[in-house]
Amino acid sequence: MDNEREQNPSPVPKKTIPPYMKAVSGSLGGVVEACCLQPIDVIKTRLQLDTIGTYRGIIHCGATVSRTEGVRALWKGLTPFATHLTLKYTLRMGSNAVFQSAFKDSKTGKISNQGRLMAGFGAGVLEALAIVTPFEVVKIRLQQQRGLSPELLKYKGPIHCARMIIREEGLFGLWAGAAPTVMRNGTNQAAMFTAKNAFDVLLWKKHEGDGKVLQPWQSMISGFLAGTAGPVCTGPFDVVKTRLMAQSRGGGELKYKGMVHAIRTIYAEEGLLALWKGLLPRLMRIPPGQAIMWAVADQVTGFYERRYLRNAPL
């Protein structure tokens, strides 16, 4: 028996980056991404809320906002957006690492594509409920306000906005649009984490724990490609999320009663393509955002790999 054990030793589990390092890398990537891409997010929100054709496209929308409200208006909602991205990526990267550990084979340390999908979906659902929904409700309410004069605006800032929503609509007003947000984020993260790993292996022969650190431009290409499919697949969820979050319960009867009712109403009143309103600015924001975030995150985790996992078995 002892000889058999010596001849057939158990596989050594592959060393991996701990969840806390993934969380740190995500938080740093989120700060950089928010500062770079906030104007595109403002334009996307304005286009999605435009039901009467005020804006004729991305460039016209950005120019109109700048001309009528000032250039700084393109960074409206930056504080909740940056805070939201930092917390979201911290939770997303950390929880995905935890979920992946749960789905890994206990003997080999490997994870299947199905396990990677489930881990990504779980991370997306968790971030949607804990962070994304309340922060995006505040952000969208701030972004939809038009005008230059602060005294004419209903919401004076992120904290004031959150207080007003709770006072007028109750605590759960901060979770308006939670259902489509869960569907959007869960699907997005399932696809994104799986695709990012696949592109790293396919393009750069990079495996986690092998000590190889991607160059920032390599991380940006993988992240950009991984972030492209999600917006196309989840466009209707994003439009419905924005409409549900934008409507105030303090203003009388709600136009949209829920996710399914909103989809039906938008389709009946504005046509099928309206469910993909804001898709182009989403494609201008999310893939570049993923490129920026992964370029930063991979350098942080790469530092850890160089220092601690260089000799880790594959």
Side-chain angles (χ1 to χ4, degrees):
M1 285 294 285
D2 291 337
N3 290 335
E4 287 182 10
R5 288 178 182 174
E6 291 176 3
Q7 293 174 359
N8 300 299
S10 299
V12 179
K14 183 170 64 176
K15 294 181 181 179
T16 56
I17 300 167
Y20 75 85
M21 279 306 302
K22 293 290 188 71
V24 170
S25 70
S27 67
L28 296 176
V31 172
V32 178
E33 178 187 340
C35 295
C36 293
L37 300 179
Q38 173 69 0
I40 297 175
D41 192 69
V42 171
I43 292 172
K44 182 212 76 168
T45 300
R46 290 293 181 89
L47 287 173
Q48 289 182 338
L49 295 174
D50 180 24
T51 60
I52 59 175
T54 302
Y55 306 117
R56 294 193 294 272
I58 295 173
I59 296 176
H60 180 259
C61 179
T64 301
V65 172
S66 298
R67 184 178 65 255
T68 59
E69 305 174 45
V71 176
R72 291 181 61 184
L74 291 173
W75 275 267
K76 275 187 175 179
L78 177 61
T79 300
F81 185 54
T83 305
H84 148 243
L85 272 189
T86 302
L87 294 176
K88 178 176 73 173
Y89 284 144
T90 300
L91 180 61
R92 176 191 297 177
M93 301 290 279
S95 63
N96 180 71
V98 172
F99 287 137
Q100 283 195 5
S101 297
F103 286 114
K104 282 180 179 177
D105 185 288
S106 59
K107 294 182 179 179
T108 64
K110 294 181 179 180
I111 183 171
S112 65
N113 286 332
Q114 293 87 344
R116 202 177 295 276
L117 282 168
M118 291 298 294
F121 189 84
V125 170
L126 186 59
E127 72 177 18
L129 292 175
I131 295 172
V132 176
T133 303
F135 273 94
E136 288 210 359
V137 167
V138 172
K139 182 197 71 173
I140 287 172
R141 296 288 179 90
L142 290 172
Q143 287 179 349
Q144 72 176 339
Q145 296 186 126
R146 294 173 172 81
L148 287 170
S149 180
E151 61 269 14
L152 298 178
L153 300 178
K154 179 178 180 179
Y155 305 118
K156 312 303 181 185
I159 297 177
H160 179 259
C161 179
R163 287 176 176 172
M164 288 287 290
I165 292 171
I166 293 173
R167 184 184 306 129
E168 294 179 351
E169 306 169 36
L171 181 62
F172 287 107
L174 291 172
W175 274 267
T181 307
V182 164
M183 292 301 298
R184 183 199 65 172
N185 282 58
T187 305
N188 264 340
Q189 301 329 311
M192 189 271 292
F193 279 109
T194 304
K196 175 62 167 58
N197 178 76
F199 284 124
D200 281 350
V201 174
L202 181 65
L203 297 176
W204 322 118
K205 303 296 186 290
K206 161 65 181 169
H207 299 263
E208 183 176 321
D210 61 3
K212 179 180 180 181
V213 182
L214 296 180
Q215 294 295 320
W217 65 268
Q218 293 175 312
S219 298
M220 292 184 79
I221 291 175
S222 294
F224 186 95
L225 293 174
T228 300
V232 177
C233 298
T234 62
F237 292 126
D238 193 61
V239 171
V240 169
K241 169 198 73 70
T242 302
R243 297 286 180 92
L244 289 174
M245 289 178 174
Q247 63 182 2
S248 173
R249 287 174 170 77
E253 186 177 355
L254 298 178
K255 179 175 182 179
Y256 306 115
K257 311 301 183 185
M259 182 173 68
V260 176
H261 180 260
I263 292 175
R264 289 176 176 173
T265 303
I266 294 169
Y267 173 74
E269 294 181 354
E270 305 172 47
L272 180 63
L273 292 180
L275 291 169
W276 275 268
K277 272 189 174 182
L279 176 60
L280 187 54
R282 281 193 82 204
L283 288 174
M284 290 175 64
R285 182 181 68 80
I286 294 177
Q290 290 302 300
I292 293 169
M293 192 280 293
W294 281 110
V296 176
D298 280 352
Q299 290 304 303
V300 175
T301 55
F303 172 79
Y304 185 91
E305 286 195 53
R306 284 196 304 269
R307 190 173 182 87
Y308 299 106
L309 304 180
R310 180 175 294 276
N311 298 319
L314 290 177

